[in-house]
Amino acid sequence: MQTTAFDPAARFPAKIVARIEGLEYVEMAELLQEAWAVEGTNANPLLKLHGCRAPVTDTLVWTECFSSMAAILARRYPQKAPELFAYLRRIINAA
């Protein structure tokens, strides 16, 4: 039985993944699935961000967005995983 590795970056456009991996600022709202629309053709799909979105203020939604971002970062910078998840824990405790 063959297993496939989890690729957290597969859910997001390469441009967003590159910004995250480049340690650039990314709005949490940009990490919401509904923020992206598929445009183009079936042969050449293109993900495009739907305009400006309101900031993420719900703790559960923020946690989902941060977890996605942390998974992408941990894939590129595995030594940072403990810090990322410690920060996530602090946010959850504060909420």
Side-chain angles (χ1 to χ4, degrees), residues 38-76:
V38 177
E39 295 183 354
T41 65
N42 286 341
N44 188 19
L46 174 68
L47 285 173
K48 185 172 181 179
L49 184 64
H50 285 295
C52 294
R53 299 205 26 102
V56 173
T57 57
D58 180 85
T59 304
L60 184 58
V61 174
W62 185 93
T63 300
E64 179 184 351
C65 294
F66 183 84
S67 296
S68 295
M69 183 184 67
I72 292 169
L73 283 170
R75 183 181 69 155
R76 175 93 186 254

Side-chain angles (χ1 to χ4, degrees), residues 66 70 80-93:
F66 183 84
K80 294 289 187 185
E83 293 173 42
L84 291 165
F85 292 105
Y87 180 72
L88 178 60
R89 182 72 177 166
R90 282 187 177 171
I91 297 298
I92 291 170
N93 286 338

Side-chain angles (χ1 to χ4, degrees), residues 6-26:
F6 169 68
D7 182 7
R11 297 179 47 199
F12 304 102
K15 185 186 286 188
I16 291 291
V17 174
R19 284 176 46 209
I20 293 170
E21 290 179 341
L23 304 176
E24 294 179 34
Y25 179 76
V26 174

